[in-house]
Amino acid sequence: MENLEKILLGHPFFKNIEGDYLNLIVGCASNVRFEQDEIIFREGQEADQFYIIREGTVALDLQDPGSGKITIDTLTDGEILGWSWLVPPYYWRFDARATKMTRAISLDGKCLRNKCENDHDLGYELLKRFALIIDQRLQATRLQLLDVYGLRS
Amino acid sequence: MANTKPESRERVIIKADDLGKILKILKRKSYKTIGPTLQEKAIIYDEIRDVDDLPIGWTDKQEKGSYRLERRTDGAYFGYNVGPHSWKKFLSPPEVRLWSARKSENGFDLHEDDHEIPNYAFIGVRSCDLHAIQTLDNVFLGGNYQDKIYGDRRQENFIVAVNCTEAGGTCFCASLGTGPKSDKGFDLALTEIINDEGHYFVVEIGSEKGSEIMDEVSTRKAGPEMIHMADLRVEKAAKSMGRQLNTDRLRDLLFANYQHPEWEEVANRCLSCANCTMVCPTCFCHTNEEVTDLDGNNAERWRRWDSCFTLDFTYIHGGSVRKSTRSRYRQWMTHKLASWHDQFGTSGCVGCGRCITWCPVGIDITEIADTIRKSGELPDKTVEQPQ
Amino acid sequence: MDYEADIMTKTETIPDPMQPRRFRINNVTWETPETFTHELIPIDKGPTFTFEPGQFNMIYLYGVGEIPISISGDPENSSRLFHTTRVVGSVTQRLQHLKPGDTLGIRGPYGKGWPVDEATGKDILIIAGGIGLAPLRPVIYRLLSHREQYGHITLLYGTRSPDKILYYEQLKKWISRFDMLDVKVTVDHASGNWRGHVGVVTRLLSKAMFEPENTAAFVCGPEIMMRFVAMDLKKHKVPENQVYLSMERNFKCGLGFCGHCQLGSYFICKDGPVFTYDTIKSYLSLKEV
């Protein structure tokens, strides 16, 4: 547990978070490990956790009937995987697959969600941080959407 | 031609029709003499052999979107301003072949075009056009590369300038400091005087070559009163310009107002017909085209005038950068009055007024600049890049 | 008004900068289904063709026309000239069918290239998008052949999908030389066996090793991509005058005479195509300029 606390404290995502809240969060955290090609979660499953990737790569896939599996994003060391646990109806929108052996910290989103309902200050702290991440991903996704390398007719 | 200092230049007087002698001497020295002629109801530049080829006794009345010729009563040789042609027609021709190529075992063989390039003597160059030639010198010869098409035609240029004694309805050279008096870059500069004593020219000799020509013509030295009379006439023209352009920090003004609603206003009127760029004496844009014969054994590369007003001008990767007329008008005007300063150290406009006269819908560049000045922003600091 | 050029009265001949030099195609390599590289050898005698990374040539195809193409080879290999181009328009549609032995006309090299020599002692970020890797490849060659003069070197390369990756074999070689440079490749989307990064190239920036105050960034790709990259570099505190972009417009002459390539006050063919971010920042966000 001490190990986890150190890791979480040092992560930019939790910068300046109050000690009490950090303890609370550490209480919901555990070390996890995924083997290469292991499916971390599937589209449609209940989203109860989120992950901080310590080492490794996770691909976000969508299945298309015609083309098969399409990867639309990869996340690596230090990046946060998943915020669907924050947003109703709390289901994963993609498959997540480890593309190589990946170590991560899993955080119990369901548990945190309940705590946030009771302590709105904690809720605000977490939402503030996720808002930043979601914004970054949105900007990046918009650029991806533009398909700038595609041929224009 | 060497630029002698104005104070040290010789001034002589010749009878008006002695101009014909000058033309003959130039012809003898193998110059092709080009000057104003009256053709199809306009005064345009073409080859002239004698003074009779000049539009003697004619004048032009110019307003926005309007050009008319009228008769004069005094028989003046140069009693008009400028027409739709400018000297770029000869120095950077509307169409010129760059090379011809022929299919061969090495793919193709290139044959550079050895044009017969005449030594041009331009007769009747107004100060605005003289400044235009000088700025084109900068464009085509002032950089790391030299444009051969322009350079070859400019090398042996002989210039007989004419100082305007009347200003036109769309003239504004005085605003830009480009006239009406020619100050340098000419071999001879004439000021026409018609009074009780007769019809003559005060000739300012601006170079060695000019001096050599005048040695063969009977002249008398111009006394101070004559020179003063000539100067007065030119000053009168300077004070009676048809238009004015406030050039104070004009570059910064335009760069700071790229989003001004006036651009949209102009775009509603502008037909993007490109007339202004064709008649403008400093517009230099051109394009290169490939022309082949039917069996493909011969190909030629041609250079032709182009205009930033065409939709294709900025074509890249499946679309044009400047799609709207608004952006294209803005490009032309800001290039002429703003970016040109950054590129070549002077204004691109010489105040000749042709763009105003020959615009079919009468768009007046001085009015547009004025509107933007009245209602636009002008920051105190220098504007580095357009906003 | 004062003019700089003093027109000459001498009768010496002006050399013609518009005359192309003939080169023969020695080899054609298809990098992706719509991108190919020509390897050229000169036919006409003349001085050895040398160029600086980032410069381009005007390629003349007999009977068709001329287009600008970036030089994509090793600047130290003067016996061969390489151009990589995408099939996008009428000239490239014809160009793609040429075979070894066919002839092209070349004018150049033109433009201001990447200031590789001035960046010695710095960490280098090379950020390429799509075909933008082609004009940056000469930079990589130059950096690697003078490796000791530079700090940490990183190549970030983004493209549409794995089948669109340029210089695949060469990239693999470079990836294996992790003692020389750090290479990260990403694609906008992938299917099949791709195990690499997926996402835009800006995402790779946080993984790169560089000291922002002592870094030079060379960026080339579609204009939108370069804008995003430049803004992200700014976020990472790389000085704006150390971020270099390669701009592109319609080139007809390459010499600054025809006026087509103007971007505000700049002629991209002679003031660029490489510019520092601070000098063209406002042009990037202006529409239709």
Side-chain angles (χ1 to χ4, degrees), chain A residues 66-78:
Chain A
S67 328
K69 171 170 85 356
I70 306 175
T71 305
I72 51 102
D73 206 357
T74 55
L75 304 167
T76 61
D77 308 6

Side-chain angles (χ1 to χ4, degrees), chain B residues 64 257-272 309 324-330 333 359 361-365 367-372 375:
Chain B
K64 50 164 112 168
N257 289 285
Y258 260 46
Q259 313 300 344
H260 197 284
E262 180 64 6
W263 299 120
E264 192 59 48
E265 281 298 309
V266 183
N268 285 336
R269 300 156 58 200
C270 175
L271 307 174
S272 61
F309 276 94
S324 64
T325 306
R326 170 184 178 265
S327 63
R328 286 179 259 149
Y329 188 88
R330 180 180 66 185
M333 188 166 151
C359 174
V361 296
I363 293 173
D364 182 339
I365 196 176
E367 269 176 28
I368 313 294
D370 204 39
T371 305
I372 294 180
S375 58

Side-chain angles (χ1 to χ4, degrees), chain B residues 252-254 256-257 260 372-379 383:
Chain B
D252 281 0
L253 175 72
L254 293 178
N257 289 285
H260 197 284
I372 294 180
R373 190 178 285 276
K374 285 203 175 71
S375 58
E377 299 262 317
L378 182 52
V383 183

Side-chain angles (χ1 to χ4, degrees), chain C residues 29-65:
Chain C
T29 309
W30 282 87
E31 313 279 354
T32 76
E34 72 274 319
T35 314
F36 57 92
T37 297
H38 277 162
E39 180 189 322
L40 302 172
I41 305 179
I43 297 175
D44 292 325
K45 285 197 188 17
T48 317
F49 186 92
T50 57
F51 70 98
E52 285 303 298
Q55 288 191 302
F56 66 96
N57 281 330
M58 292 298 287
I59 314 303
Y60 169 65
L61 179 54
Y62 170 86
V64 185

Side-chain angles (χ1 to χ4, degrees), chain C residues 193-213:
Chain C
N193 305 331
W194 180 254
R195 291 189 182 288
H197 295 282
V198 175
V200 292
V201 70
T202 44
R203 294 267 299 279
L204 300 175
L205 206 50
S206 46
K207 312 261 172 281
M209 261 180 47
F210 59 98
E211 227 183 276
E213 321 81 53

